[in-house]
């Protein structure tokens, strides 16, 4: 995709979170440096869940138990170095919580492990708890804004919990050789579309967070993520 003609007619929609993390862990064939940012159209954010019957009642409770327990709490995620693994570390590391992480295959694997109490808590897309409230309980959304799939659930920010936000921004990109004036026009169009009432209604109905971010601001967000997420990766064994 990065080698496509830079006409503005060929664009790439991708999860920037995965692309950035993969390149921080090990340089890949393609990175965000191979594109110009057109805009952010959505964002997948993480939730921290416990089994429905867990005695853990809040994120603060989980943190305190993790600090004081004689044995490390077991938690599930979707793979070491994955976005949701990093999102979990983004709240566990700043609060010095001692845990044992267990990777599973996809968010549904984490959810199944929670439902069977195979783990004490898990981190997956916040929207994945919807429809499974009898099996899993969302303690908090690991983001600055509340999640449309769980509007009553507090965010880590609401709770005053120290954390590094890690999310998967859905970003429209153009090949790096695309002229700046063309990218600027595309960025304006993306911002307009993502502020349209029908677009917002579609994503809210699906329980997905919306976003409407210009190309330049998207590029700045990616650079900030690289710096912040790199700190989390430094602590991986």
């Amino acid at each position: 995709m990065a080698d496509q003609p830079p006409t503005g007619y060929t664009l790439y929609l991708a999860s920037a979170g995965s692309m950035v993390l993969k390149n921080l862990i090990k340089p890949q064939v393609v990175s965000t440096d191979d594109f110009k940012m057109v805009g952010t159209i959505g964002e997948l954010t993480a939730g921290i869940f416990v089994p429905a019957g867990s005695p853990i009642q809040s994120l603060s409770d989980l943190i305190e138990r993790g600090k004081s327990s004689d044995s490390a709490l077991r938690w599930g995620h979707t793979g070491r170095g994955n976005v949701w693994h990093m999102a979990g570390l983004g709240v566990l590391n700043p609060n010095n919580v001692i845990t044992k992480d267990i990777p599973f295959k996809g968010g549904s694997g984490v959810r199944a492990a929670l439902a069977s109490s195979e783990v004490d808590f898990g981190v997956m897309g916040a929207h994945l708890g919807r429809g499974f409230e009898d099996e899993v309980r969302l303690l908090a959304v690991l983001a600055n804004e509340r999640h449309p799939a769980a509007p009553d659930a507090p965010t880590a920010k609401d709770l005053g919990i120290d954390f590094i936000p890690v999310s998967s921004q859905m970003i429209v990109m153009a090949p790096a050789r695309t002229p700046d004036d063309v990218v600027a026009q595309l960025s304006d169009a993306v911002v307009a579309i993502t502020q349209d009432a029908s677009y917002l209604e579609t994503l809210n109905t699906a329980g997905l967070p919306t976003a409407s971010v210009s190309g330049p601001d998207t590029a700045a967000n990616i650079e900030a993520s690289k710096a912040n997420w790199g700190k989390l990766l430094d602590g991986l064994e």
Side-chain angles (χ1 to χ4, degrees), residues 10-223:
T10 302
L11 302 175
Y12 182 39
L13 175 63
S15 163
S18 297
M19 183 180 288
V20 168
L21 281 170
K22 287 179 180 178
N23 277 278
L24 286 174
I25 293 170
K26 180 182 178 180
Q28 305 290 307
V29 174
V30 176
S31 75
T32 54
D33 294 335
D34 296 306
F35 298 92
K36 286 180 179 175
M37 302 300 115
V38 173
T40 306
I41 67 169
E43 183 177 22
L44 300 179
T45 52
I48 186 162
F49 293 82
V50 293
S54 170
I56 299 173
Q57 296 301 312
S58 66
L59 180 54
S60 297
D61 186 14
L62 186 153
I63 290 171
E64 288 306 312
R65 288 171 183 262
K67 288 180 177 180
S68 61
S69 177
D70 292 334
S71 57
L73 294 177
R74 294 161 55 88
W75 73 286
H77 56 77
T78 53
R80 291 179 67 79
N82 183 279
V83 174
W84 301 146
H85 179 219
M86 292 295 105
L89 295 182
V91 70
L92 297 175
N93 287 4
N95 293 286
N96 301 310
V97 181
I98 305 301
T99 60
K100 176 176 176 56
D101 72 284
I102 304 172
F104 293 91
K105 188 174 181 178
S108 60
V110 176
R111 189 173 58 206
L114 286 163
S116 63
S117 296
E118 186 177 343
V119 292
D120 297 301
F121 68 96
V123 175
M124 59 184 182
H127 61 288
L128 293 178
R130 190 161 74 167
F132 294 86
E133 290 83 1
D134 291 339
E135 300 174 60
V136 300
R137 179 159 41 87
L138 177 59
L139 296 181
V141 177
L142 301 179
N144 292 320
E145 303 291 336
R146 293 204 175 198
H147 200 288
D152 295 330
T155 66
K157 182 180 180 180
D158 290 337
L159 299 171
I161 301 294
D162 190 19
F163 78 111
I164 298 173
V166 179
S167 66
S168 190
Q169 300 172 12
M170 304 309 296
I171 292 178
V172 179
M173 311 177 195
R177 294 179 293 119
T178 306
D180 289 341
D181 61 330
V182 173
V183 174
Q185 284 183 294
L186 292 168
S187 178
D188 289 344
V190 164
V191 169
I193 291 168
T194 52
Q195 292 178 355
D196 182 78
S198 60
Y199 176 83
L200 296 172
E201 181 181 359
T202 298
L203 264 68
N204 283 324
T205 300
L208 298 173
T210 61
S212 182
V213 184
S214 69
D217 287 344
T218 294
N221 290 341
I222 287 177
E223 291 307 310

